[in-house]
Amino acid sequence: MVGSDSILDSATVLLAGTSEWLDQFESRLESETDATVTHARDKSEALEYVQTQPIDCLLSEYALEAATGVDLLKEIRTETAALPVIIGTAAGSETIASEAIGAGVTDYVPVSESIDAAVDALLTRTERAVRSARRASTQRDRARQFDAIFNDSRTSTWVLDPDGSLARVNQTAQEMNQTAQEMVDEDIEMLVGDPFWSLPWWTHDETTRAEVRQITERALDGTFGNVVVPQPPHLDDPRVFDLSVRPVENERGELVSIVVEGVDITERVELERDLRQSEELHRVTLNNMTDTVLITDEAGEYTYVCPNVHFIFGYTAREIRELGTIDELLGDDLFDRDELADKGVLKNIECTATDKAGHEHTLLVNVREVSIQDGTLLISCRDITKRKRREEALATLHETTRDFLYAETHQEIAQEIVDDTPSVLNLDASAVYLFDAETNALRPVANSRAMRELNGPLPTVRADGESLPSYSFVEGTELLYDDVHEADRLANEATDIRSAIYIPLGNHGVFVAGAEQVGAFEAVTRELADLLAATAEAALDRVTRESRLREQDRTLQRQNKQLSELNRINETIREIDQALVQAETRDEIYHTVCELLTADDRFRFAWVGTVDSTTNTVEPQAWAGSERGYLDSQTFSVTESATEPASKTAASGEITMVSNVASGLRDEPWRKDALARDYLSVLSIPLAYNDLTHGVLTVYAPTQEAFGDTGKSVLAELGETIASALSAIERKNALLTTSMTRVEFAITDPTFVLTRLAQEAACTLSYQGGVQQSSEGSYVFVTVADAPLDEVAETASQLVAIDDVQQISADGTEGVLRLRLTQPFFALELADHGVVFQEATADPTTTVLVIDIPTSIDVRTITQLVEETFTSVELRAKQSLDQSMEHDLYARFLEKLTDRQLEVIQTAYYSGYFESPRENSGAEVADTLGISPPAFYKHARTVQRKLFTTLFEESTLSVTTS
């Protein structure tokens, strides 16, 4: 039975004959298929149909009118061997069948007595015949196509056996250069049977050979393969072939052959390469150029949109088209159409446009008439927003720079930076830290409102590199963050600032700018930030230089003023020094000093006071200048709480300087009295020399800050000079007087060297004079009792206050030691004040000092000196002496001796040289002194001669006890 999708549905069937079974077959065929059925009654009519109409199958009965079906078959076979012919007969025989087969019948069907069964068989065989005929036709068509392809002069073709060996190669490429046969020199017939991949076409390169073998082996598995094969590069004109390998299978799916085609694609490869390069060039150019190109028709409808349109507008090309006409993008009335028609091109039209994100751009537009793909207007757009903004920012920066020129402080410049940041950088959040060298910290001296709102108050940060501004300043490095929350040194993690930049301002500080959004710093913004910071740094440098110059000017002015004042003071000091040399009395020194200090309005007022120990107040002794009752208005009590400069200096023994009397006016009453007399600054200095204070000198000036450090130092030296002059007068008076007051003190202070030695050695020491000061130190002769001399000497050598010990003489438990002291002996200090240290006796419990004080010297002053020098001082006795002759002879004798002669005679005396019998010989004394015996004898005779020469008359000593 014929299927529902029978091949006969599209077939044309010719029936020849008049038998009943043919009519029944026709009826079945028309009812069960969509076949086209044509009926011929005889041979001639059937032949006419065959010759004039496309027939897919002929079904003829054997017995035709005046002919047979075999006769018709033979006629048809003279015309075509492809038309399927079926002969059916009710009276069939082997002879007829043999004849039909010999004539080339497609099928022979005996029609049995059952017509229905015969018709069924005829339908099946007709369908089979049509199918076989069409398959054969297709195969013939393919064969012809293959032959056409195989013999194509443009293609090199190889046919391979199922094992991949060469079977055929085309011979039609002789006219083509570099065809398959021209690629090798060997005879093609000699290559038949060789594996395809071993043929000479591919053996020049192992890679090529491997690729050919790979695609061939894949074809053996029934897979199509393709490979591009280059010819050897040494050829004059190397070519490139595209090899296509196709497996050929039969109807059972069995591999019967492999066809390999080689197409010369050299030109195509070159064209494709050039095209790719051109396309790449255009693609890169269009995608990366900043200008956007648009083409529209006269109505403004887009005919072309450049792929890089998103660079400016943020839209894709499709979104641009969806916006509508170009007027929606660039606005109405962009240009004058008549003017364009007249000029053909309009350049540098400035306009504004809004991008997809809502940001406004400034564009520079060129419009040109064109005729490209239905487009008549070519519009090119250049985004000059950054340039425009940069120009505006630079203009603002220029104004900022000019404002910087008028700024006089770092604070003003910092505030100017913050104020101009929005217009220069288009950022609202900014701040400036300035470095404070005294505290080693960065202080936020200026910040914008937006910075405070987004970040909160800015703290002062240490310049230790731990925070972001500190690190930028210390390292001198610019820090830029698209998101500052990713920074390691972010101190305020709650800040709403996202984008941030930190730029060091040299040694001055750090400039900070930021924004609430991430990635706010474009290249232009960063460049402008650097320019703003560099300009600010230059302005800060200028202010620093000018500040230093002003400070230098002030310093020079101050130094000049101080120098002038110092010159005046030095001039005064010289005059005072000259006056001191000529002064004969204390009062003369006091008055001279005060008068010279206030002469020529050098100072407003000066006075000298001494401390009255009975009232414990400073009593004025002399004054000069504009006093105006000031001394009467004050009580100069010497107490620790005293605030008036003279009282304070007398109490502390230190210099008191008041640079501004008006300061603290209500706290210290003396200031009000001083201001009433135009005393604006005060300096009070102690008149002290060798720990002995002679009084206080106080000077008042009519200006504030009148006494600088230099003036203070010079006047302090003047105080020492005055005190020295006063001591000199005391010594002079002491030399001129013969009246003395002998005072006896008892002390236990171990700081006195003799007390310390007596306590340490458990002995009794006596000093009877003989102290001598030399470049090596102070030499003192002491008599030792109650202890072995050697042990006392050993103990003395262990004391820090004693540098050297020498035994001068020894007698059992007594003897004389010469001690070289590290500090001046107290007798020398007393001598500076005209006082004579007569004797000192020290035992392990107490030391008794005997001192002679000339009547010209206040005993209380010397007593105070002793009490200030030692602790636990007790005044035991005091008596008056008159030793005019003794004093005169002694003084005259000492004047005749040299220091060396005095040392020699003292050493000889304490060594027992003058005892009888002598305790030490002259040679032994000389050895103690480190000199030769003749030198010793010479010094001794010289001293004796001078002593006897001095003793012309006897002296008398009158002693009265007080």
Side-chain angles (χ1 to χ4, degrees), residues 710-775:
T710 303
K712 175 183 176 182
S713 175
V714 171
L715 289 175
E717 292 179 0
L718 173 63
E720 294 180 0
T721 302
I722 294 172
S724 177
L726 291 172
S727 295
I729 287 178
E730 289 179 348
R731 289 194 301 273
K732 180 179 179 181
N733 292 336
L735 292 174
L736 294 177
T737 184
T738 59
S739 298
M740 296 283 183
T741 298
R742 176 163 291 179
V743 183
E744 181 178 309
F745 297 98
I747 65 174
T748 59
D749 191 346
T751 59
F752 185 45
V753 62
L754 298 185
T755 302
R756 180 66 177 275
L757 180 57
Q759 292 175 351
E760 294 289 336
C763 65
T764 300
L765 301 175
S766 298
Y767 165 80
Q768 300 294 336
V771 63
Q772 181 182 1
Q773 181 71 20
S774 69
S775 59

Side-chain angles (χ1 to χ4, degrees), residues 108-135:
Y108 175 79
V109 181
V111 179
S112 63
E113 295 179 355
S114 176
I115 296 178
D116 291 337
V119 170
D120 289 341
L122 285 171
L123 285 172
T124 300
R125 294 194 179 190
T126 301
E127 183 179 13
R128 184 188 303 155
V130 172
R131 182 177 290 109
S132 297
R134 288 189 177 182
R135 185 183 297 115

